[in-house]
Amino acid sequence: MTFHLIASLMTPGHFRSAWRLPDADPNAYLDIDYFRGLARTADETGLDAIFLGDAPALGPEIATSPGTGIDPLILLGHLAAVTERVGVLITSSTSYNSPYNLARRFQALDIVTRGRAAVNLVTTYAPAAAANFGQTEPAAKETRYRRAYEFLTVVRRLWDSWEPGAIVADKQTGRYADPELIHGADHHGEFFSVAGPLPVPGEHPVVVQAGGSEGGLKLGAELADVVFTVAQTQAKAIGFRDDIRRRAVAAGRGADDVKVSLGVIVLVGETEDDARERADELYATLGIDQLARGVLTALGLGDRDLDEPIRPEDLPSVPLAEAGSVGFQVSTRALLADKPLSARELARHAPGSGHRLLIGTAQHIADDLTAWWHAGTADGFTIMYADTTVDFDRFARLVVPLLIERGLFTPAEYGSTLRERLGVPQYGQRRADDTAAAG
Ligand SMILES: Cc1cc2nc3c(=O)[nH]c(=O)nc-3n(C[C@H](O)[C@H](O)[C@H](O)COP(=O)(O)O)c2cc1C
């Protein structure tokens, strides 16, 4: 059994207003030295991967907080070069990329990092992105996921271009490669026509998928290695993981072939008082009313009193596919079923993202993660930080040693690949070949 830890480097933090704190540098998200420091800490701690979310557009939130930031492939590609063992997980869009370019770039990153590359393939909700790629508005979500499925199918086929043994390199005969063992993708589908093959051999980088709607679940269970998810209650998380595992088996894969990584935001206090004080400070930077109105929109509730309790039956009977994240809506519904909360309370409970927020000492946070893991909620956690500058360091320094002490987390070993550490097998053809060779 593996237990993984992935660190989101989103800056200033998942409290998007943390840049307003007296000691914060509002422009840290543009500072390469700052990111190098985070990456080195992650590497020294033995975390499995560092991660950056992304959307290829400037969002409306820029009026109040830094946007998603500089191109994460360049940034994390650079950070990979100043680290030795931490994986680099980079968000890329299936709606605004071509499969050949993406397959080639991530293969290259995987080669130069010796197996530390991973891609978080998203369909990109951000409406502003469409206009950057010649479209007036984003395609419907169902269409975006159909494209994503075809996209990843082609990418996997390209990564399978070279069979083992294709490089002959016989100096006597002068024969370098056996073209019979190099295959094109030869793909002609609804969205793409791609010949292939890729010009060099490589492995499959790790693929993560983060959608919670039907299209996202199918893509994750059938074609991804890791699924990111959001949950506010253990029951919801366990149900989600069971569902992904069942779907993987139904698709002919092993239940353990797909790992579930649960998002958690942490605010780490040196003491309980310190945690409470920092939480008060961070909440004071937020425009709670504005966040609360965002929550109402995301839930499809429109205008409503911000203090009126919301019960699950107040929500639209079917999650709104186009209104944002189905995963977020399902998670919030499960939370409200436990206890009705007002929009203002919901905004305070999960400021701006819908992820569970853990506020407390290192001990409290380690206890919580341990309990959630043992309950079968996830194979590991994607840790997001309330204020990345402070909480990333504290999590690494204070929480991770407790998780190691409990035998839950094992720091990444030098020379291991991210795939090995996460415990996910090679995908597809290559895996079938390995199995045949082993048998
Ligand atoms: C942990 C996590 C990280 C995500 N990161 C991104 C991201 O970087 N960019 C993005 O466009 N969507 C991101 N998403 C959103 C999903 O990929 C998906 O687009 C969104 O949840 C809407 O799709 P759904 O209705 O299938 O849930 C993330 C979701 C989760 C749970």
Side-chain angles (χ1 to χ4, degrees):
M1 291 282 270
T2 55
F3 171 98
H4 67 253
L5 287 174
I6 297 171
S8 163
L9 301 189
M10 182 183 266
T11 294
H14 285 259
F15 275 73
R16 303 296 296 139
S17 52
W19 62 270
R20 298 177 66 192
L21 292 175
D23 292 339
D25 171 4
N27 298 322
Y29 77 125
L30 302 173
D31 179 354
I32 190 61
D33 287 336
Y34 160 80
F35 279 110
R36 280 191 191 137
L38 296 180
R40 290 205 177 102
T41 302
D43 209 39
E44 284 156 16
T45 311
L47 299 182
D48 293 300
I50 48 179
F51 159 64
L52 273 175
D54 189 57
L58 178 67
E61 71 281 357
I62 193 63
T64 53
S65 64
T68 42
I70 54 183
D71 186 309
L73 185 57
I74 305 293
L75 176 57
L76 287 186
H78 172 81
L79 297 180
V82 299
T83 51
E84 291 180 51
R85 53 179 170 166
V86 74
V88 284
L89 169 55
I90 297 145
T91 299
S92 291
S93 177
T94 54
S95 300
Y96 307 115
N97 275 300
S98 91
Y100 187 90
N101 274 349
L102 186 130
R104 189 166 184 228
R105 286 191 187 126
F106 277 88
Q107 182 200 54
L109 189 64
D110 200 55
I111 291 171
V112 302
T113 59
R114 297 197 173 88
R116 294 191 280 141
V119 58
N120 174 34
L121 277 183
V122 299
T123 54
T124 303
Y125 167 66
N132 293 335
F133 298 88
Q135 300 171 20
T136 46
E137 57 181 25
K141 184 178 286 189
E142 200 268 322
T143 310
R144 294 205 306 274
Y145 273 115
R146 228 173 45 247
R147 177 180 161 114
Y149 198 93
E150 188 180 328
F151 190 110
L152 183 49
T153 303
V154 177
V155 165
R156 292 255 187 226
R157 240 187 254 173
L158 289 166
W159 285 338
D160 272 337
S161 298
W162 293 55
E163 284 187 44
I167 296 186
V168 181
D170 187 331
K171 291 188 178 174
Q172 293 291 319
T173 61
R175 186 170 168 78
Y176 177 69
D178 181 354
E180 294 285 315
L181 298 181
I182 305 172
H183 310 287
D186 300 327
H187 176 85
H188 301 284
E190 181 184 356
F191 298 94
F192 307 108
S193 277
V194 184
L198 288 180
V200 298
E203 304 288 339
H204 287 232
V206 169
V207 177
V208 179
Q209 199 293 129
S213 59
E214 180 55 34
L217 297 175
K218 178 175 159 65
L219 181 63
E222 296 182 15
L223 292 179
D225 299 300
V226 177
V227 177
F228 268 174
T229 188
V230 45
Q232 292 281 352
T233 63
Q234 285 198 358
K236 151 75 175 58
I238 293 165
F240 179 88
R241 182 165 174 264
D242 287 348
D243 183 31
I244 288 289
R245 292 167 67 83
R246 254 194 315 271
R247 285 169 185 258
V249 170
R253 308 175 75 190
D256 283 321
D257 291 3
V258 190
K259 305 297 183 198
V260 172
S261 189
L262 183 56
V264 182
I265 304 174
V266 297
L267 190 158
V268 191
E270 301 270 9
T271 61
E272 277 175 26
D273 281 349
D274 176 51
R276 262 191 301 270
E277 279 163 28
R278 286 197 52 231
D280 287 347
E281 254 182 10
L282 276 164
Y283 276 119
T285 63
L286 285 173
I288 281 282
D289 284 15
Q290 193 189 336
L291 275 186
R293 271 189 279 278
V295 166
L296 289 179
T297 309
L299 292 175
L301 291 176
D303 249 354
R304 186 186 172 102
D305 189 312
L306 298 182
D307 291 314
E308 187 186 343
I310 304 167
R311 296 174 311 264
E313 54 271 28
D314 297 335
L315 302 176
S317 55
V318 179
L320 306 171
E322 302 303 331
S325 163
V326 170
F328 162 74
Q329 294 172 62
V330 171
S331 160
T332 307
R333 191 181 295 257
L335 175 67
L336 295 175
D338 269 7
K339 181 173 182 269
L341 296 169
S342 69
R344 208 174 255 133
E345 285 167 328
L346 270 176
R348 213 179 140 81
H349 192 85
S353 74
H355 287 284
R356 203 160 65 93
L357 170 62
L358 281 177
I359 301 177
T361 59
Q363 190 76 32
H364 170 76
I365 290 169
D367 286 349
D368 182 283
L369 296 181
T370 306
W372 275 62
W373 191 78
H374 282 302
T377 58
D379 298 287
F381 297 94
T382 295
I383 308 292
M384 299 174 261
Y385 305 91
D387 174 355
T388 301
T389 312
V390 178
D391 293 300
F392 173 80
D393 183 64
R394 288 189 179 188
F395 186 85
R397 198 162 40 81
L398 304 174
V399 183
V400 173
L402 298 177
L403 298 173
I404 295 172
E405 219 173 271
R406 291 166 191 201
L408 211 57
F409 179 64
T410 311
E413 285 182 18
Y414 287 94
S416 62
T417 64
L418 181 58
R419 183 172 288 285
E420 286 163 353
R421 272 184 249 145
L422 297 175
V424 285
Q426 283 294 344
Y427 189 90
Q429 184 57 42
R430 185 68 56 80
R431 184 176 162 219
D433 292 345
D434 288 351
T435 313

